[in-house]
Amino acid sequence: MDEPKGRLTRDGIRIYEDGDFAGMHAAGAVTARILDEIAEHVFPGQSTGEIDRIITAKVTEYGTKSATIGYKGYAHASCISVNHVVCHGIPGDKKLKNGDILNIDVTVIKDGWFGDSSRMYVAGDKPNRRAERLIQVTHDALMKGIEAVKPGNTFGDIGHAIQTYAESQRMSVVRDFCGHGLGRVFHSPPNVLHYGRPGTGATLEEGMFFTIEPMINLGRPETKVLADDWTAVTRDKSLSAQFEHSIGVTADGFDIFTLSPTGTFHPTY
Ligand code: MF3
Ligand code: CO
Ligand code: CO
């Protein structure tokens, strides 16, 4: 790998250069395209393992590598988290049922740059009203977090925007997982918390690259990890949803690297 360029802040956050935004856009566009194209493969009776096989083929077809295959022993090109699974669901033989809601999370590496994004999908008919509402609120919470991104604001401002919105809708923010810096590495400082207080945490600077990926629950925020050491579920078995974008801080705001070329980034029902 090339020697990383640019500088680190006091908080150990890398400041990337103007020319680096293009690499992140190229990686993010592939991730977004895969998330667009996978929608038609989500239906009742489909297994999450088959969805992952289709994703694996697309990762290669589009000239990228999976960031997750081989990462800390993980063996798949996606995480697929169904219903009360919060994140890191392992694709397998289990078949989707009508009305299931699921998050599909894909990270590719293109020319050394990482594109990490996830969205919610629904198997079959519209989900019930509470599930539908959860998906909408989670999506909107992510966008409110992104809108807090500009130089001079802090990571606490991002978390606060997400938390106040989710809680105003009587939903809870998962504390046990967070967003992360990325760029030419998968996970780097900072931890991007999805809750917090205004004005706290590191200050945002132009050239920071990171994800925002709130997990929102209908019930309580607590999670536990199953015996497979990956699958995180809500302790109270309530439904959980997540959306994730990879973004960069610009001179006056933000640049979303994982926007869909078709403009799709919403529940696919
Ligand atoms: N894509 C996940 C994230 O948003 C990380 C998945 S790591 C894996 O950070 F090993 F579980 F795939
Ligand atoms: Co991520
Ligand atoms: Co991800």
Side-chain angles (χ1 to χ4, degrees):
M1 202 175 83
D2 297 345
E3 194 57 25
K5 293 190 298 241
R7 67 184 179 89
L8 292 181
T9 68
R10 275 185 312 180
D11 305 287
I13 303 168
R14 184 161 298 283
I15 304 299
Y16 287 93
E17 298 170 350
D18 284 357
D20 297 337
F21 281 73
M24 291 298 283
H25 271 290
V30 173
T31 303
R33 180 178 180 184
I34 292 170
L35 291 176
D36 279 357
E37 292 177 356
I38 207 61
E40 68 182 271
H41 301 282
V42 175
F43 48 80
Q46 173 75 301
S47 73
T48 55
E50 179 59 20
I51 294 171
D52 182 72
R53 279 188 284 280
I54 295 165
I55 291 170
T56 304
K58 289 180 184 294
V59 167
T60 307
E61 183 184 346
Y62 301 148
T64 56
K65 277 178 51 178
S66 168
T68 54
I69 295 175
Y71 177 78
K72 297 186 177 171
Y74 196 78
H76 305 275
S78 62
C79 297
I80 304 183
S81 303
V82 182
N83 294 334
H84 76 296
V85 179
V86 173
C87 63
H88 301 163
I90 302 175
D93 294 336
K94 209 169 146 191
K95 289 183 164 57
L96 296 171
K97 300 188 305 297
N98 192 31
D100 280 350
I101 66 167
L102 54 147
N103 174 275
I104 302 180
D105 190 338
V106 173
T107 310
V108 305
I109 312 170
K110 183 167 180 62
D111 300 328
W113 298 99
F114 285 69
D116 184 5
S117 184
S118 79
R119 303 181 197 166
M120 294 302 292
Y121 300 80
V122 177
D125 299 342
K126 277 166 71 113
N128 69 45
R129 284 219 320 281
R130 280 179 53 80
E132 187 173 14
R133 183 91 189 112
L134 171 67
I135 292 172
Q136 189 68 54
V137 166
T138 305
H139 173 268
D140 294 350
L142 167 62
M143 298 317 291
K144 286 174 194 294
I146 291 175
E147 279 157 21
V149 173
K150 64 172 181 194
N153 279 5
T154 69
F155 282 96
D157 294 332
I158 299 172
H160 183 73
I162 294 167
Q163 180 180 14
T164 50
Y165 179 64
E167 292 179 355
S168 78
Q169 303 303 310
R170 297 194 164 68
M171 298 179 193
S172 68
V173 177
V174 169
R175 309 293 204 267
D176 299 337
F177 301 91
C178 56
H180 49 91
L182 85 173
R184 293 183 82 77
V185 288
F186 195 177
H187 292 112
S188 59
N191 287 330
V192 180
L193 306 183
H194 303 114
Y195 58 94
R197 302 203 54 76
T200 63
T203 300
L204 302 174
E205 291 182 43
E206 182 179 359
M208 289 179 175
F209 294 168
F210 52 87
T211 73
I212 306 179
E213 48 182 299
M215 288 139 276
I216 306 295
N217 298 346
L218 278 182
R220 294 193 49 83
E222 290 82 11
T223 72
K224 67 176 178 190
V225 175
L226 300 185
D228 60 26
D229 276 346
W230 283 105
T231 313
V233 300
T234 54
R235 280 194 177 265
D236 65 4
K237 305 247 173 49
S238 67
L239 286 181
S240 186
Q242 180 178 29
F243 283 86
E244 175 177 25
H245 268 316
S246 298
I247 68 170
V249 183
T250 63
D252 57 1
F254 56 84
D255 189 4
I256 304 179
F257 299 129
T258 43
L259 274 183
S260 164
T262 65
T264 324
F265 188 70
H266 56 71
T268 48
Y269 51 88

